[in-house]
Amino acid sequence: MEIPLLQDIIVILGLSVVVILIFQRLKLPTILGFLITGVVAGPHGLSLVEASHEVEILSEIGVILLLFIIGLEFSLKSLAAIKKAVFLGGSFQVFVTIAVASLIAYLMNYSLTKAVFIGFLFSLSSTAIVLNLLQSRSEINSPHGKISLAILIFQDIIVVPMMLLAPILSGKTDDVAFTLFSLALKTLLVIGLVILAARYIFPRLLYEVAKTRSRELFILTIVVSCFAVAWLTSSIGLSLALGAFIAGLIISESEYSHQATSQVLPFREIFTSFFFVSIGMLLDVAFFFQHLLPILGFTVVVFLVKGLIATLAGAVLKYPPRVSILTGLALFQVGEFAFILSKVGIENGLIDPGTNQYFLSISILSMGITPLVFMASGSITNLFASTQLSRGLAKFNYWNDVEGNPDIETAMKDHIVIIGFGINGRNVAAVAKRANIPYVIIEMNAETVKIEKAKGEPILFGDAISPFILEHVDIWSARVAVIAISDPAASKKIVTAIRDICKTVYIILRTRYEIEVEGILRLGADEVISEEFETSIEIFTRVLNKYLVPEEEIENFVGEIRSDNYQMLRPKGTSAASLHIPNLRISSLSVQQSDNDVVGKTLEESAIRHTYGITVIAIQRDGDFLINITKETRVLKEDIIFIMGTPQAISEFNKQVRL
């Protein structure tokens, strides 16, 4: 049986692969590649796609998933924290843009009602493009990212009253009071449902689903929740995208939001590509080139006017000039909801086909240059830094610099990532806590996460195979990753996932059988502890104890066996992840006594290297690290000294000196 849409999907995705491959070679943004794909494949290009309506439906799914993930990364608390930015910044940007655009349209001989509707169209920015770019640049939680998100949220809310006002502007309805009352009632109903679901329904539902440990059931529940809430809001007259954002907010209140995000991300990438392609398909290429100069002129006006108004919105919110300008550069384009609104305008006679093509051309061109503006935003901001505009914005500044903004989240660094919270994971966490070493735990058992989170443990529900989960725990800045799960296949996938992101983190992994060690080391692990091998060592250690073999000889014997056995299994090479010097160890010793030949003396006086065959490589003193060790460096009581040498030399030094 032939499926007509399947052919169009193959054409779109196949052409996208070719175009984006070329764009990647030219180091141009992929979003621009999708727009070009739509122009080429669309009805005004080569007419390669016939089912344009079905493609538009797929694109709407992409917008829904994008807004859903944004909601997941936010929460009701964080949204409440930016309510001022949403309502003050958003209303300033929208209403001032409407006023200016309406005035320009009115001066161009449009009637007042049509001019106001044109102002509606140009006041909206592209939620899909801006948030996609902010996410790809890891700027969604930056100050300008949060302002942009707040203003975009207000735009998504205000687009519904705009659609309801269209018939009123065209003179097709006189019942304005009932329309506004109905909208207010629907909004209050949605807010009530959100609060109820976030507090009582979804946390319990997701807990029961997560307890089953079924990935299929988990992702099915997440997707159904997203589309159900989106359908609910759409059925009462609000937008699908707003419903998807609300669904994300609801789930974000639970500890399962990170895992939900990692599961939905692959679907979002596919469907958002259809959105950008569908936007490109709307462009009439012939009309565009016939009216190229006025279109370029209007696009420049939109860039300057709308960018300036968004910049002033940041200033009104008391943000520094740099943040305000970055906000203006993010929100200058015309957005996807304006296309939906333009259809309503055509139906009600508020814009004619010619005006609509001008609008589409300017909008798509502004969308197309948005990624390029993002890439050059740093240079543009520096260019404006010394201008009168920047000095004027500085008068509104609450903070001296972006780094002083309390909205900025501080990433973890030099921490331990513990994957799995069984016996081994718990022990690592307990020791890390006692040693004041920062750590974070990733666990797939929903009951464990719920119990430990209540105890204050830094634990999140998620699958460490997912790059999103690993990035969320800042794996690239961690010092050590401990993989303490009992699933050999999953452990190997986790090692590979970590190494795809970070080459420097030191990976320690436990496995059951010694035969598995070599394969895991080749994947990129630094240390693999075999339970089978360590159990055998523990057995013969106790046997030798029964035969009254001296403890020192047993320790030396164990050290030699461990060194020889694990060294045989290590992969060849001298990369950071695989470098190993045979029979050499780095240890730390705490200086607790002063009655010996080391404490209080310089390294030259104590002759540690000559006498004991070890090297002092660093000293921790009063919370600071001394790394420039010379022969004049003194060892003091309460120091922690880091030494390098053979296991035997370190053991002998510790026994004789007794620090």
Side-chain angles (χ1 to χ4, degrees):
M1 182 179 68
E2 185 178 352
I3 305 175
L5 181 59
L6 181 60
Q7 178 181 339
D8 292 328
I9 291 176
I10 293 172
V11 169
I12 289 173
L13 295 182
L15 185 59
S16 297
V17 169
V18 175
V19 173
I20 291 173
L21 183 61
I22 296 173
F23 273 58
Q24 287 293 307
R25 293 285 179 87
L26 299 174
K27 296 183 178 180
L28 294 174
T30 56
I31 292 176
L32 194 55
F34 284 125
L35 291 172
I36 296 298
T37 300
V39 172
V40 173
H44 304 291
L46 300 179
S47 299
L48 301 177
V49 177
E50 297 179 0
S52 57
H53 177 67
E54 287 78 2
V55 172
E56 186 178 339
I57 293 174
L58 293 177
S59 71
E60 290 179 1
I61 295 175
V63 176
I64 288 172
L65 293 176
L66 175 63
L67 268 294
F68 178 62
I69 288 177
I70 297 302
L72 283 172
E73 294 188 346
F74 249 65
S75 66
L76 293 174
K77 291 180 181 178
S78 58
L79 186 60
I82 64 167
K83 60 182 181 294
K84 178 181 177 181
V86 171
F87 293 105
L88 179 58
S91 60
F92 180 90
Q93 184 274 326
V94 168
F95 293 125
V96 173
T97 304
I98 290 174
V100 174
S102 299
L103 177 61
I104 294 174
Y106 185 74
L107 294 175
M108 296 176 64
N109 296 323
Y110 283 94
S111 67
L112 181 59
T113 54
K114 291 182 178 180
V116 170
F117 187 79
I118 291 173
F120 285 177
L121 296 177
F122 284 99
S123 67
L124 303 175
S125 303
S126 175
T127 302
I129 289 180
V130 173
L131 296 186
N132 197 31
L133 288 169
L134 288 172
Q135 278 190 321
S136 66
R137 293 162 61 93
S138 299
E139 294 177 357
I140 195 70
N141 284 314
S142 65
H144 67 275
K146 289 190 175 184
I147 301 174
S148 300
L149 176 59
I151 293 174
L152 289 169
I153 290 172
F154 184 84
Q155 290 180 3
D156 290 344
I157 296 172
I158 203 69
V159 73
V160 179
M162 289 178 178
M163 294 176 69
L164 295 174
L165 286 171
I168 299 174
L169 291 174
S170 64
K172 292 184 178 181
T173 181
D174 297 323
D175 200 351
V176 179
F178 177 77
T179 302
L180 295 177
F181 174 76
S182 175
L183 176 63
L185 186 63
K186 291 174 182 179
T187 304
L188 290 174
L189 177 62
V190 169
I191 293 173
L193 289 175
V194 168
I195 295 173
L196 179 66
R199 288 188 178 179
Y200 303 108
I201 300 175
F202 275 86
R204 183 62 185 175
L205 172 63
L206 292 176
Y207 174 67
E208 294 297 332
V209 170
K211 278 202 307 184
T212 66
R213 299 202 180 189
S214 170
R215 294 184 182 180
E216 295 81 3
L217 180 59
F218 184 84
I219 191 170
L220 183 63
T221 305
I222 294 300
V223 172
V224 168
S225 302
C226 169
F227 286 103
V229 178
W231 170 80
L232 176 64
T233 57
S234 176
S235 65
I236 61 175
L238 301 175
S239 70
L240 284 167
L242 182 61
F245 178 77
I246 291 171
L249 280 178
I250 292 171
I251 297 176
S252 72
E253 292 300 301
S254 70
E255 55 261 39
Y256 313 107
S257 59
H258 306 299
Q259 179 66 8
T261 304
S262 69
Q263 298 279 19
V264 175
L265 273 174
F267 297 97
R268 187 207 69 175
E269 299 299 336
I270 293 294
F271 284 105
T272 50
S273 66
F274 284 107
F275 164 72
F276 295 121
V277 170
S278 68
I279 295 300
M281 290 170 60
L282 296 173
L283 181 65
D284 186 338
V285 180
F287 181 91
F288 179 83
F289 284 107
Q290 288 173 4
H291 304 83
L292 181 60
L293 288 179
I295 288 172
L296 291 176
F298 282 126
T299 303
V300 171
V301 172
V302 169
F303 174 79
L304 294 175
V305 173
K306 195 172 179 182
L308 177 60
I309 293 171
T311 299
L312 293 175
V316 168
L317 293 171
K318 309 297 185 181
Y319 275 84
R322 179 178 177 275
V323 176
S324 300
I325 294 171
L326 287 173
T327 304
L329 294 175
L331 299 176
F332 72 88
Q333 76 291 122
V334 182
E336 58 277 358
F337 291 120
F339 297 119
I340 300 172
L341 188 60
S342 68
K343 293 178 182 178
V344 178
I346 292 174
E347 293 171 0
N348 289 277
L350 291 171
I351 54 174
D352 56 74
T355 302
N356 189 50
Q357 272 302 319
Y358 266 113
F359 161 71
L360 289 174
S361 299
I362 296 167
S363 302
I364 293 174
L365 187 57
S366 69
M367 284 182 169
I369 65 174
T370 297
L372 303 177
V373 172
F374 261 77
M375 292 173 62
S377 59
S379 301
I380 297 174
T381 305
N382 292 335
L383 183 65
F384 277 98
S386 58
T387 63
Q388 189 64 38
L389 172 63
S390 180
R391 287 190 287 271
L393 294 174
K395 296 178 181 179
F396 297 96
N397 184 19
Y398 272 165
W399 301 287
N400 293 327
D401 197 7
V402 179
E403 286 72 19
N405 193 319
D407 284 340
I408 297 179
E409 296 181 1
T410 304
M412 296 183 69
K413 62 180 181 179
D414 205 32
H415 56 292
I416 305 173
V417 175
I418 304 171
I419 300 168
F421 207 56
I423 294 176
N424 292 318
R426 290 176 188 274
N427 289 335
V428 173
V431 172
K433 185 180 293 185
R434 291 185 62 181
N436 292 321
I437 299 173
Y439 65 93
V440 62
I441 306 157
I442 302 174
E443 172 58 50
M444 279 291 289
N445 188 310
E447 293 181 81
T448 300
V449 172
K450 184 176 182 180
I451 293 170
E452 298 302 326
K453 199 163 190 177
K455 295 179 181 178
E457 287 286 0
I459 187 170
L460 63 90
F461 178 85
D463 189 347
I465 296 174
S466 166
F468 176 82
I469 297 295
L470 293 173
E471 290 174 0
H472 183 77
V473 297
D474 301 319
I475 190 67
W476 55 79
S477 60
R479 180 182 294 194
V480 178
V482 178
I483 304 174
I485 61 176
S486 56
D487 185 342
S491 297
K492 293 177 182 178
K493 292 178 181 178
I494 293 170
V495 172
T496 303
I498 292 175
R499 284 292 174 236
D500 286 343
I501 299 173
C502 179
K503 304 296 183 185
T504 57
V505 63
Y506 196 86
I507 301 176
I508 302 174
L509 184 146
R510 57 151 280 198
T511 187
R512 181 169 297 178
Y513 302 110
E514 186 180 353
I515 195 173
E516 299 171 342
V517 173
E518 182 176 4
I520 298 173
L521 285 170
R522 292 189 184 281
L523 290 174
D526 296 283
E527 296 284 347
V528 181
I529 310 300
S530 165
E531 292 180 3
E532 183 180 51
F533 181 68
E534 293 298 327
T535 301
S536 69
I537 288 180
E538 186 64 25
I539 290 173
F540 77 66
T541 298
R542 298 193 182 195
V543 169
L544 294 178
N545 275 323
K546 289 298 179 182
Y547 280 90
L548 303 180
V549 176
E551 290 288 340
E552 181 183 346
E553 291 186 26
I554 295 176
E555 289 178 6
N556 290 339
F557 189 44
V558 169
E560 290 174 6
I561 290 179
R562 282 205 175 104
S563 178
D564 293 341
N565 190 77
Y566 283 124
Q567 174 58 21
M568 285 191 301
L569 296 173
R570 290 184 181 278
K572 305 296 182 184
T574 57
S575 65
S578 61
L579 183 62
H580 178 74
I581 303 174
N583 207 28
L584 197 62
R585 182 177 299 171
I586 297 176
S587 297
S588 62
L589 300 175
S590 178
V591 181
Q592 300 296 332
Q593 302 183 44
S594 56
D595 187 17
N596 52 50
D597 296 330
V598 173
V599 180
K601 298 181 179 180
T602 65
L603 296 181
E604 183 179 28
E605 293 170 344
S606 59
I608 291 178
R609 180 182 295 178
H610 176 74
T611 306
Y612 303 102
I614 64 170
T615 302
V616 178
I617 57 176
I619 296 176
Q620 183 179 355
R621 180 177 298 161
D622 298 328
D624 297 325
F625 277 92
L626 309 178
I627 56 176
N628 296 320
I629 305 299
T630 67
K631 62 182 180 179
E632 302 299 326
T633 302
R634 292 183 181 272
V635 176
L636 305 178
K637 190 177 179 181
E638 306 299 334
D639 281 352
I640 297 176
I641 62 172
F642 296 84
I643 57 177
M644 181 173 65
T646 64
Q648 294 86 352
I650 292 174
S651 176
E652 188 69 18
F653 172 75
N654 193 28
K655 183 175 69 173
Q656 291 191 21
V657 177
R658 297 190 182 279
L659 296 175

